[in-house]
Amino acid sequence: MMSDYHSSTKAMRPVLVKLGCSLILGVATVLALPVASTALQPLVGEQGVGIAHAAERKEKPKRSTRRTPAIRAKIYEKLNEAQMAADEKKYSQAIGLLNELRDKEGRNSLNSYELANLYNMYAFIYFTQEKYELALDAYRNVVKQPDIPEAMELNTKYTIAQLYFVKEDYRNGVRTLQEWFKAKQEMQEDPGAGAYALLSQGYYQLKDLDKALKYIEIAINDYTSRGKVPKEQWWGLQRYLYYEKNDIKRVTAILEETLKHYQKKAYWLQLSAMYNELKMESKSTAAMETAYTEGVLDNDKELINMAYLFLSQEVPYKAAKVLDKGIKKGQIPATSKNLELLGNAWRQAQELKKAIPEMEKAAAKSDKGELWSRLGNIYLDNDEFDKAEKAIENAFKKGDLKRPDTAYLVLGMARFNLQEYDGAKKAFKEAAKSEKSKDYAKQWMQFMEKELQRQEALKDG
């Protein structure tokens, strides 16, 4: 029976691998957009899942070489009025105030910094309303203005790149981000791990997996070199990219590291699958057992797979306990197949008294004779010869037996022990018709003949 368990286990593991990849892929593509929080002080605000701040390290403030014009008091007041309306979610009113400022004062009368802040406020409002194309146009107008502070230009370009990502225009997103990186380099400023992670995700979307891997590793190494725990999504993307390269050892190492900090069922399932790919069956089972012990395996397929892994490692008692508990709690359906698996697990664990009731329930639910045949074999092992005979007879009534010759052998042995010698002889003759059972059946008939002769001799005194 163990060969059946091995083949069943192998059949289930690709499902785990496929599941693992889909989960990895899911976290690799989650993006959100940081936007300016105020018209008068444009900043990159909170970032979404998987994206850290563009400039995470402390950097020395650099003086701008540009001469930036000041915002006049009357312009500041009108921009601030629009800002307050936006904060109160009166977006139409805010847009109206901005339009009035733009049209009444005239574009020619506003200096470049005033225009930059005006368009920055437009962009913020449009983004809040999920009008991404209008927001993008407004941000482009911000960076078109001459003589604005370099920090404002850089922050806005980073925001533009992320807006492209939100719109799934990854080519323009990556192009804009590269321009941003170049400007950072010229200013001798560190882009930060989050920016590298964002660039990696862009290349991933463009199917350039080598560059995607290069930049996600820069992000991860930046964090680990400073004693920081990398973002969960970064490890997810790195893991997926190595899986695409079929580097299972590297995927396994990343999962082991991830699980030190992010304890999730999906990662245990993936790790078990990867160990199996590496032919490390004991570690595969141990990973799944950890997940089971932690109580994160909660559906029938996962629990049944856990049982198969225990059986493949020749730990049938643990397999039986998993199945028994799962069936009793209703997590595993009490189907004929699952009850048979439980019965076989108890049988391999030498727990025949527990195996028999489960096999009886399995056979009762089946419309085929195969389970009755196996049940008859278990009864025979337990010296319950009358039940063994009835089970095999029922098996033939149901039909569809894989090895009728084996069933006839069990029937013959049961009848022999019940001293039903004529019936036993008939059963052994049927078994002998098969090449696989012929020799064994003939041995039994010879043994039975000698036993009958011995009994006759005893009668004669």
Side-chain angles (χ1 to χ4, degrees):
M1 290 300 296
M2 282 307 297
S3 61
D4 293 336
Y5 293 125
H6 281 294
S7 62
S8 297
T9 308
K10 290 177 181 177
M12 295 185 73
R13 280 170 178 153
V15 176
L16 290 178
V17 177
K18 185 177 180 182
L19 171 66
C21 292
S22 64
L23 288 169
I24 291 168
L25 185 59
V27 297
T29 58
V30 176
L31 294 170
L33 178 72
V35 296
S37 58
T38 170
L40 305 182
Q41 191 180 13
L43 298 171
V44 176
E46 290 299 317
Q47 311 228 357
V49 178
I51 306 173
H53 196 282
E56 295 174 59
R57 296 181 179 178
K58 291 182 179 179
E59 299 166 355
K60 295 180 180 179
K62 295 186 180 294
R63 292 182 177 272
S64 174
T65 57
R66 299 173 181 172
R67 293 177 61 86
T68 303
I71 297 179
R72 290 167 289 175
K74 65 176 183 177
I75 304 301
Y76 177 90
E77 289 174 4
K78 292 179 180 180
L79 286 172
N80 192 54
E81 187 179 353
Q83 172 78 62
M84 291 174 66
D87 289 344
E88 294 173 4
K89 298 184 179 180
K90 298 176 181 178
Y91 301 122
S92 295
Q93 181 182 337
I95 291 292
L97 290 167
L98 293 175
N99 289 342
E100 182 182 355
L101 175 60
R102 181 193 64 192
D103 299 334
K104 186 175 180 180
E105 294 294 331
R107 294 180 180 82
N108 294 331
S109 67
L110 296 176
N111 65 44
S112 59
Y113 192 40
E114 290 168 342
L115 277 173
N117 278 279
L118 175 77
Y119 285 120
N120 195 60
M121 176 56 70
Y122 273 122
F124 173 69
I125 295 170
Y126 286 138
F127 176 79
T128 304
Q129 295 177 301
E130 298 184 2
K131 297 176 180 179
Y132 299 132
E133 193 59 51
L134 290 174
L136 194 52
D137 285 340
Y139 278 127
R140 289 194 195 102
N141 278 323
V142 172
V143 296
K144 283 180 183 177
Q145 306 308 314
D147 302 325
I148 61 173
E150 289 175 331
M152 182 180 190
E153 181 180 354
L154 278 176
N155 286 342
T156 304
K157 278 191 174 181
Y158 193 81
T159 301
I160 289 171
Q162 292 186 290
L163 250 178
Y164 278 127
F165 276 72
V166 170
K167 285 168 50 62
E168 299 183 4
D169 184 353
Y170 301 109
R171 194 164 302 281
N172 276 321
V174 167
R175 177 185 56 75
T176 305
L177 202 53
Q178 286 172 330
E179 292 173 3
W180 181 86
F181 267 95
K182 184 178 179 181
K184 277 283 190 180
Q185 186 178 18
E186 290 172 353
M187 296 175 67
Q188 297 182 340
E189 292 182 359
D190 181 9
Y196 284 111
L198 180 60
L199 185 59
S200 171
Q201 293 182 55
Y203 278 119
Y204 162 76
Q205 293 292 349
L206 294 175
K207 312 296 184 187
D208 191 338
L209 302 189
D210 288 334
K211 285 185 179 178
L213 182 57
K214 171 186 174 182
Y215 289 114
I216 199 62
E217 295 208 317
I218 291 175
I220 291 171
N221 292 337
D222 178 84
Y223 261 41
T224 54
S225 68
R226 292 185 284 126
K228 297 181 68 176
V229 178
K231 306 291 183 182
E232 183 180 0
Q233 294 80 7
W234 298 357
W235 266 326
L237 178 55
Q238 183 193 38
R239 193 165 63 245
Y240 173 77
L241 293 169
Y242 273 113
Y243 185 80
E244 284 295 291
K245 288 177 173 288
N246 201 34
D247 191 341
I248 304 303
K249 287 185 178 180
R250 191 75 184 96
V251 173
T252 304
I254 295 167
L255 279 166
E256 290 171 339
E257 190 66 24
T258 303
L259 278 163
K260 292 178 183 178
H261 307 282
Y262 302 102
Q263 293 281 328
K264 289 188 176 179
K265 175 175 74 172
Y267 301 152
W268 286 113
L269 298 180
Q270 291 167 23
L271 183 60
S272 177
M274 293 303 102
Y275 280 140
N276 180 62
E277 289 287 315
L278 295 172
K279 309 299 181 185
M280 302 169 72
E281 286 83 2
S282 60
K283 283 194 171 185
S284 177
T285 303
M288 284 289 283
E289 187 174 9
T290 301
Y292 177 73
T293 303
E294 293 293 321
V296 297
L297 302 185
D298 53 14
N299 67 59
D300 59 324
K301 290 182 180 179
E302 293 165 355
L303 294 169
I304 291 170
N305 192 42
M306 180 77 264
Y308 274 125
L309 284 170
F310 278 135
L311 288 168
S312 70
Q313 291 297 299
E314 299 183 5
V315 194
Y317 185 80
K318 285 188 175 183
K321 292 292 286 184
V322 169
L323 292 166
D324 187 53
K325 182 179 179 181
I327 290 172
K328 287 178 178 176
K329 289 180 67 176
Q331 293 174 303
I332 299 175
T335 63
S336 177
K337 183 178 180 181
N338 293 337
L339 290 167
E340 179 194 4
L341 181 60
L342 174 57
N344 281 324
W346 282 129
R347 186 183 181 191
Q348 288 188 50
Q350 305 300 315
E351 296 276 357
L352 285 181
K353 288 184 178 179
K354 292 181 178 180
I356 289 173
E358 304 305 332
M359 290 298 293
E360 287 173 339
K361 287 185 281 188
K365 287 176 176 282
S366 176
D367 58 355
K368 297 180 181 179
E370 186 63 29
L371 283 181
W372 286 103
S373 178
R374 294 180 189 179
L375 180 59
N377 202 356
I378 295 175
Y379 282 137
L380 184 69
D381 289 344
N382 203 42
D383 294 337
E384 296 182 70
F385 305 120
D386 185 57
K387 288 185 177 181
E389 181 185 29
K390 290 177 181 177
I392 297 298
E393 287 174 346
N394 202 14
F396 281 114
K397 287 179 183 177
K398 294 274 188 179
D400 199 23
L401 299 181
K402 294 179 181 179
R403 290 287 304 276
D405 55 310
T406 302
Y408 276 120
L409 283 174
V410 173
L411 181 60
M413 287 184 276
R415 286 175 174 173
F416 172 81
N417 283 283
L418 291 170
Q419 297 183 356
E420 298 174 4
Y421 300 121
D422 289 340
K425 189 174 183 181
K426 288 179 181 178
F428 288 133
K429 282 184 177 180
E430 289 295 327
K433 292 178 181 179
S434 168
E435 287 295 323
K436 293 181 179 179
S437 298
K438 180 173 63 176
D439 292 341
Y440 196 50
K442 287 182 177 179
Q443 289 174 12
W444 261 101
M445 284 190 285
Q446 291 171 1
F447 174 75
M448 187 169 61
E449 189 65 32
K450 289 179 180 179
E451 177 61 19
L452 290 173
Q453 291 174 2
R454 186 183 69 82
Q455 290 180 16
E456 285 296 323
L458 287 173
K459 287 180 183 179
D460 294 338

